[in-house]
C-alpha cells in the first residue's frame, strides 16, 4: 500500500466512522481515532457482507456498504456493552 492509499483509508474511515456514530448516537463517546478505527473495520465488515472494497474503487456502493458495516459494528458493541442496540 502506498502513502496515498493509506491517506484515503484514514480519511474515508474517519468519515464513515463519524457518520455511523451519528446514526447510532455514540458520537459524543468517540474521538477521531475511534471513528477512524470504526470506519476501517466497518469497511471490512461491509466488504465481507456485500462484496466490493474501497481498495478497488471508492464508489457510492462501496461507501454505503462501509457505512452499513460500521453501523453493524457499533450495534454489536452497544449490544455487548449495554445489553441493547439503542
Amino acid at each position: 500500500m502506498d502513502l496515498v492509499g493509506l491517506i484515503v483509508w484514514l480519511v474515508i474511515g474517519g468519515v464513515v466512522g463519524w457518520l455511523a456514530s451519528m446514526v447510532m448516537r455514540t458520537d459524543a463517546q468517540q474521538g477521531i481515532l475511534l471513528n477512524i478505527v470504526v470506519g476501517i473495520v466497518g469497511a471490512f465488515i461491509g466488504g465481507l457482507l456485500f462484496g466490493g472494497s474501497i481498495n478497488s474503487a471508492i464508489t457510492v456502493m462501496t461507501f454505503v456498504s462501509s457505512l452499513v458495516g460500521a453501523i453493524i459494528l457499533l450495534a454489536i458493541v452497544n449490544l455487548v456493552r449495554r445489553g441493547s442496540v439503542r
Side-chain angles (χ1 to χ4, degrees), residues 51-66:
S53 171
I54 288 181
N55 287 339
S56 58
I58 300 172
T59 63
V60 172
M61 195 61 205
T62 58
F63 187 83
V64 169
S65 70
S66 299

Side-chain angles (χ1 to χ4, degrees), residues 1 14 32 39 49 56 68 83-84:
M1 178 186 309
I32 189 165
L49 293 176
S56 58
V68 171
S84 67

